[in-house]
Amino acid sequence: MWVKLAFKLFSREFRRGELSIIFAAIALAVLTVFSLASVTERIGLNIEQKTADFIAADRRLSSNHEFEPIVQKTAEEFGLETAEMLFFDSMLFANDELVLGSVKAVSSAYPLKGQVELKDNLEGQSYPIRGAPEPGTLWLSEGLFYSMGLKVGDTVELGAGEFTVAKVLMSEPDAPLFSLAGNKRVLLNYVDIARTQAVQPGSRVFHRLLFAGSEQALTDYYAWLKPQLKPNQSWQGIKDRQSPLGENLARAERFLLLAGLFGIMLAAVAMAVSAKRYCERQYDPVAMMKTLGGSRATVRKIFLTHLTLVTLFSIVIGLVIGSMLQSVAADYLANFMDTTLPEAGLKPWLLAVFIGLVCALMFSLKPLLDLFDIPPLRVLRRNLGDSLALSKVHIGVSILTIFVLMWLFSGQIITTLVLFASTLLVIGVLFGISRLIFAAGRKLGLRPGSSWSLAIATLQKRANTNAVQLITFALAIKLMLFLVVLKNDMISDWQMQVPEDAPNMFLINIAEDEISPIKQYFDENQITHEAFFPVFNARVNAVNGEEFARRVSKQEGEEEDDNARQGVNREPNLTWLDEVPEGNEIVEGEWFSGSERLEVSVFDGWKERLDLKLGDEIEFLINEQKFTATVTSFRTVDWGTLKPNFVMILSPNFAGKIPVTYFSAAKLEAQHTKGISKLLQQYPTISMIDIKNRIQQAQSMISQVSLAIGFVLMIVLFSGALVLISQVQASLAERMQEVVILRTLGAKGSLIKLATLYEFLLLGAIAGVVAALVSDIALLVIQQQLFGVDGRLHPYIWVLGPLAGASFVAFIGYFMVAKTMRQNTQKLLRSLA
């Protein structure tokens, strides 16, 4: 019996629009979460894929000794693609020239991600391919062609083997950003290693395995591999790589995460408000049902059925609209960026459905319980049940639910807490302001016949309702201001780290007597360049006389000394400088004092790694010479600038103690290619490293994130408009009554219209002021904690917030009630009846 009644009432209320508010709210939550999660995931996957090109794989395993055969065999059993690599140095001989080259032997599957850039000859055009040199052939970098006087087709001796020079090697996806190997690089087929006879037991070689496959397969494989990893073996992805690309990828993900959280918050607020409004509008029908003999159990079953049906319908509709919306947005972004975005996984679908169900349950539970307790006597006394309108339990449950949903979506407690706390601050401030302003409405000396007087009197009359409206308006404005600052300021700050005039190539291995002619060449050709830095390799040998553990050879069966102090497994590039370089900041200690003792400034990331403190004495081993320097400062280093940086910088009094080479950076245009080639031919010891691909990759990330945030901003604007519409729609009946009374008392139509417009202008302006101030405070924290940059205020949003709030709320609010005000009094009375 009750089932038939439930479906009959559901059909009638759905046609009448009684369920439209809660239906739109759940659908809004679902489509917002789904579209945002899908677009941000697809862009994030695209960024990760492009960034993975720069390690030539999804993951890589590095070691200074040969891998056990089972490592690669098991990877293939997990469905992963693999490629082998071996690095070693060897002499090349041709045309009576002997040059030391950096050799990378690769299997035929290389690269698993990205492409190798080749030229058929020095004058030809470069083109991308995937693959390795044919057995018996080599691909050589341009520097080797110039220094050895080679051309394609010549024969070169590498170790004990003879090979044909087949191609000019322009770039490799996993080439080091800054390496003293420079452009003396050789690509060799893996099967030809034995032919060179350069790799013998005890040789200084470096092994690497590349892996590509699904994230699940990689995760499962690593779970198998991890217990078997040796201390000198490392498993890495792009996020593990201390490089500008790793830093930029992490920053891009934080931008997308922050943008997605805004959509979650606004959708949840819309649902909470709408569920409460819907249940309040059912108080009279429930009272009537109980008067006619309906039991509390029957009422509960009917409205739970309604909630279930509207939840299912709204989730389906939300997923359909969200799917179309994200498809259109993704296609637009893909066309704009001239790329193909990978498809999102199941996470957006599951997340959207879960949040839709949670919103429907948690935000509707307390209002429904209140609805079931409405007494039958409300038929006679309409004020019965109104005391339930502002339930502290419902508010508490709603706030807790929003926090949990945000935490679930982000997975980061600090980010969630910052945004959540700023939201609570907005709510608290606005509720206090609304009570003060609206309660003081009668004391403002208002005069009859004034539209402003009528507007403020109306605000005062609906103090509680307007307080809730103010909060929801302010949240929407706050999220919009957040996104505006993200897109206009923080993205711009990020982009400024890779300015258009940034250097796109390094020149290294420059002798001191070659600096002057190179400077002259740059000046004559109007090439922008950086200073010339001295550079050398050094081993960090000891701290305060305590030596670090010696690197041992697993190949020879040596075991590490577990009691020895652990250092670093590489010899970093060092320099000496007079001033703190750009992109570095002293965080502890002071720059060099100018004393006669040798001093050193250390990258802050190595402070804990080497267990250092100010005043420690670091011993460096350079060739066979030992030098001791005192730690005077620790520096932060912005690796995301795509400029070379140093983990340790010595004081200027180190100059002249050891022989060094120099390096510089320059911005080269296409017309400089031939000239720089002649320069390298004239000075064959100089090596050039091209980083244009790295800069393009960073700019591509920034463009994608900026577009994604623009898309999120549109979603938030749309969501904010729907929240505002639901708020105004819920008060339409009360506004119709006011219009009838005012007209009966002789008020003119223009007075009523202006009063309504002023009411929404005041609400929007007040909400905008508070949203702007609180947003700027929260942005200060986010800039410092989430993005690691100096926080600063944004005064322009203090003006933008009130103006945007007043305009946005007034336009939509007035548009919603304009139809009501155009109706004549007789029609309004019939509608109310």
Side-chain angles (χ1 to χ4, degrees):
M1 178 69 180
W2 69 267
V3 176
K4 183 177 180 181
L5 177 60
F7 276 93
K8 186 175 181 180
L9 289 175
F10 179 80
S11 176
R12 188 184 68 179
E13 291 184 5
F14 202 85
R15 288 195 303 269
R16 290 175 54 192
E18 292 294 320
L19 291 170
S20 60
I21 300 174
I22 193 168
F23 177 88
I26 299 177
L28 170 64
V30 172
L31 76 87
T32 300
V33 171
F34 180 79
S35 57
L36 290 180
S38 295
V39 172
T40 52
E41 180 176 328
R42 293 179 70 176
I43 290 179
L45 288 172
N46 186 55
I47 290 175
E48 284 194 24
Q49 284 184 6
K50 288 185 176 296
T51 309
D53 293 350
F54 286 83
I55 60 171
D58 292 320
R59 303 288 192 279
R60 67 186 186 190
L61 180 63
S62 304
S63 174
N64 62 1
H65 60 82
E66 192 172 0
F67 298 105
E68 296 292 333
I70 193 173
V71 173
Q72 187 173 5
K73 181 181 179 182
T74 304
E76 293 169 354
E77 291 174 357
F78 274 89
L80 298 175
E81 297 179 71
T82 62
E84 297 174 278
M85 300 173 63
L86 180 70
F87 298 84
F88 62 94
D89 293 335
S90 184
M91 301 302 297
L92 292 94
F93 180 75
N95 298 330
D96 296 326
E97 296 287 346
L98 193 64
V99 177
L100 179 64
S102 177
V103 183
K104 179 165 72 175
V106 297
S107 60
S108 57
Y110 172 86
L112 299 180
K113 297 286 185 177
Q115 295 176 316
V116 179
E117 289 279 339
L118 299 175
K119 290 201 301 188
D120 292 328
N121 52 66
L122 288 172
E123 292 75 29
Q125 293 292 324
S126 63
Y127 56 90
I129 72 161
R130 295 185 66 179
E134 292 293 329
T137 67
L138 300 175
W139 296 345
L140 305 180
S141 60
E142 281 187 302
L144 286 171
F145 278 87
Y146 297 131
S147 59
M148 302 181 73
L150 293 171
K151 61 180 182 298
V152 172
D154 285 351
T155 299
V156 172
E157 293 181 21
L158 175 61
E162 289 190 354
F163 298 87
T164 301
V165 179
K167 302 288 182 184
V168 182
L169 178 62
M170 300 302 296
S171 67
E172 311 138 79
D174 56 338
L177 181 63
F178 181 67
S179 167
L180 293 182
N183 62 344
K184 305 296 190 295
R185 300 179 64 79
V186 181
L187 212 60
L188 173 75
N189 194 294
Y190 200 85
V191 300
D192 284 334
I193 295 174
R195 185 175 178 179
T196 67
Q197 298 182 23
V199 178
Q200 301 294 331
S203 296
R204 185 177 179 181
V205 297
F206 187 72
H207 297 260
R208 184 173 287 167
L209 272 177
L210 303 182
F211 305 89
S214 67
E215 284 298 315
Q216 186 61 52
L218 290 164
T219 302
D220 294 342
Y221 174 69
Y222 182 59
W224 172 87
L225 176 68
K226 187 176 181 180
Q228 306 177 62
L229 284 178
K230 306 295 190 299
N232 57 356
Q233 294 179 337
S234 61
W235 173 267
Q236 292 180 314
I238 188 63
K239 296 178 185 178
D240 303 311
R241 192 183 186 196
Q242 181 179 289
S243 70
L245 295 171
E247 293 289 329
N248 282 332
L249 176 59
R251 185 170 293 182
E253 290 181 337
R254 289 193 289 268
F255 273 117
L256 295 177
L257 170 66
L258 198 59
L261 278 175
F262 294 152
I264 295 284
M265 186 185 298
L266 192 56
V269 170
M271 179 59 209
V273 172
S274 300
K276 183 64 180 172
R277 289 295 187 190
Y278 169 73
C279 290
E280 289 175 358
R281 293 170 65 179
Q282 303 304 312
Y283 286 175
D284 290 341
V286 168
M288 185 66 70
M289 265 187 240
K290 289 185 176 181
T291 302
L292 297 175
S295 66
R296 188 178 187 276
T298 301
V299 172
R300 183 174 63 248
K301 292 176 183 178
I302 289 174
F303 282 95
L304 285 177
T305 301
H306 288 184
L307 178 63
T308 302
L309 291 174
V310 77
T311 300
L312 292 177
F313 288 159
S314 56
I315 287 177
V316 172
I317 296 299
L319 289 175
V320 171
I321 298 176
S323 179
M324 292 188 296
L325 189 62
Q326 69 87 23
S327 180
V328 171
D331 288 344
Y332 171 77
L333 295 175
N335 291 332
F336 186 87
M337 295 180 294
D338 193 23
T339 186
T340 301
L341 296 182
E343 292 297 327
L346 289 176
K347 181 181 176 181
W349 296 88
L350 297 177
L351 187 64
V353 172
F354 177 76
I355 287 180
L357 292 173
V358 169
C359 286
L361 176 63
M362 299 305 295
F363 296 143
S364 302
L365 185 60
K366 184 59 175 65
L368 280 174
L369 293 177
D370 291 342
L371 181 61
F372 304 152
D373 291 334
I374 292 298
L377 195 57
R378 182 182 169 89
V379 173
L380 299 177
R381 296 176 57 187
R382 297 293 302 278
N383 63 332
L384 289 178
D386 288 348
S387 60
L388 302 173
L390 286 176
S391 169
K392 294 181 180 179
V393 175
H394 176 58
I395 293 173
V397 170
S398 299
I399 291 175
L400 180 62
T401 302
I402 292 174
F403 176 80
V404 172
L405 290 177
M406 291 173 62
W407 190 9
L408 173 68
F409 183 81
S410 70
Q412 296 187 8
I413 187 66
I414 294 179
T415 306
T416 303
L417 283 173
V418 170
L419 290 179
F420 191 72
S422 66
T423 301
L424 290 182
L425 182 60
V426 169
I427 293 174
V429 171
L430 278 175
F431 192 78
I433 288 177
S434 66
R435 302 299 296 177
L436 288 173
I437 293 179
F438 302 149
R442 294 191 181 95
K443 304 176 182 180
L444 297 179
L446 304 176
R447 55 188 179 83
S450 168
S451 297
W452 280 107
S453 299
L454 182 57
I456 294 177
T458 305
L459 290 175
Q460 191 275 334
K461 177 185 175 183
R462 286 196 293 267
N464 287 337
T465 301
N466 287 329
V468 176
Q469 288 183 340
L470 259 182
I471 291 169
T472 54
F473 298 162
L475 288 179
I477 296 167
K478 170 178 171 283
L479 299 184
M480 285 185 277
L481 293 177
F482 257 86
L483 291 174
V484 168
V485 172
L486 275 178
K487 186 172 175 57
N488 292 344
D489 283 29
M490 297 178 73
I491 290 287
S492 297
D493 290 345
W494 183 20
Q495 194 163 12
M496 285 175 63
Q497 296 180 15
V498 193
E500 293 184 0
D501 59 347
N504 57 14
M505 72 89 173
F506 297 138
L507 286 176
I508 63 175
N509 291 336
I510 304 171
E512 189 168 3
D513 60 350
E514 294 172 335
I515 294 177
S516 180
I518 293 174
K519 277 186 176 179
Q520 182 179 352
Y521 173 82
F522 284 158
D523 294 340
E524 290 175 352
N525 291 274
Q526 298 181 339
I527 297 175
T528 305
H529 66 91
E530 303 292 326
F532 288 77
F533 298 91
V535 63
F536 57 94
N537 290 113
R539 170 178 166 81
V540 182
N541 202 48
V543 173
N544 297 328
E546 181 183 357
E547 291 192 358
F548 289 113
R550 182 178 65 88
R551 293 185 66 180
V552 300
S553 172
K554 298 291 183 179
Q555 182 73 26
E556 302 302 328
E558 293 183 304
E559 295 184 359
E560 292 184 343
D561 183 0
D562 295 331
N563 296 322
R565 187 167 182 163
Q566 298 300 310
V568 291
N569 293 325
R570 65 185 178 92
E571 295 184 357
N573 297 321
L574 307 184
T575 190
W576 64 80
L577 292 174
D578 294 317
E579 299 178 351
V580 181
E582 182 183 354
N584 290 233
E585 181 180 352
I586 302 292
V587 292
E588 187 178 353
E590 296 180 354
W591 192 242
F592 305 130
S593 61
S595 66
E596 293 183 359
R597 68 175 180 172
L598 190 60
E599 298 173 336
V600 62
S601 177
V602 182
F603 165 49
D604 189 55
W606 276 30
K607 176 183 177 182
E608 183 177 348
R609 186 173 180 179
L610 297 179
D611 191 20
L612 296 173
K613 61 182 180 299
L614 293 177
D616 280 349
E617 299 287 330
I618 299 180
E619 181 184 88
F620 296 98
L621 181 62
I622 306 171
N623 297 326
E624 296 182 355
Q625 301 182 63
K626 293 182 178 180
F627 298 90
T628 301
T630 304
V631 178
T632 60
S633 66
F634 294 102
R635 295 168 291 111
T636 57
V637 178
D638 189 355
W639 302 100
T641 58
L642 293 179
K643 293 184 177 181
N645 281 297
F646 299 91
V647 292
M648 293 188 180
I649 300 175
L650 295 173
S651 53
N653 57 350
F654 188 73
K657 295 185 181 297
I658 61 168
V660 297
T661 59
Y662 291 78
F663 85 92
S664 183
K667 170 72 172 180
L668 294 184
E669 305 294 344
Q671 65 268 23
H672 299 141
T673 303
K674 290 186 178 180
I676 202 69
S677 298
K678 291 181 179 180
L679 181 70
L680 294 175
Q681 201 165 8
Q682 186 177 356
Y683 301 101
T685 60
I686 297 176
S687 297
M688 184 180 75
I689 303 174
D690 191 340
I691 62 169
K692 288 194 292 290
N693 289 340
R694 267 61 174 180
I695 295 176
Q696 291 171 0
Q697 175 71 3
Q699 297 287 10
S700 174
M701 283 187 192
I702 296 169
S703 298
Q704 292 184 56
V705 173
S706 180
L707 285 170
I709 291 179
F711 170 74
V712 175
L713 181 57
M714 289 190 294
I715 291 289
V716 169
L717 284 171
F718 180 68
S719 303
L722 287 182
V723 171
L724 177 56
I725 289 171
S726 65
Q727 287 276 27
V728 177
Q729 186 177 1
S731 63
L732 276 181
E734 186 178 356
R735 290 181 180 278
M736 290 168 67
Q737 290 178 347
E738 292 175 355
V739 171
V740 170
I741 294 172
L742 289 171
R743 286 180 177 174
T744 303
L745 295 175
K748 296 180 179 180
S750 59
L751 175 70
I752 299 173
K753 290 179 181 179
L754 284 176
T756 303
L757 181 61
Y758 294 156
E759 177 187 351
F760 286 117
L761 279 171
L762 284 172
L763 284 173
I766 295 171
V769 169
V770 177
L773 295 178
V774 175
S775 294
D776 223 6
I777 295 172
L779 281 165
L780 279 174
V781 179
I782 287 175
Q783 285 173 304
Q784 295 174 348
Q785 299 297 322
L786 193 60
F787 296 102
V789 299
D790 293 334
R792 70 173 189 272
L793 296 176
H794 307 85
Y796 72 90
I797 69 171
W798 304 345
V799 178
L800 179 62
L803 289 179
S807 303
F808 182 67
V809 174
F811 175 77
I812 295 180
Y814 185 80
F815 176 79
M816 284 294 299
V817 300
K819 182 179 179 181
T820 298
M821 291 186 292
R822 285 196 298 267
Q823 296 178 10
N824 57 46
T825 305
Q826 186 178 5
K827 190 173 181 180
L828 287 175
L829 286 171
R830 277 201 297 265
S831 299
L832 289 171

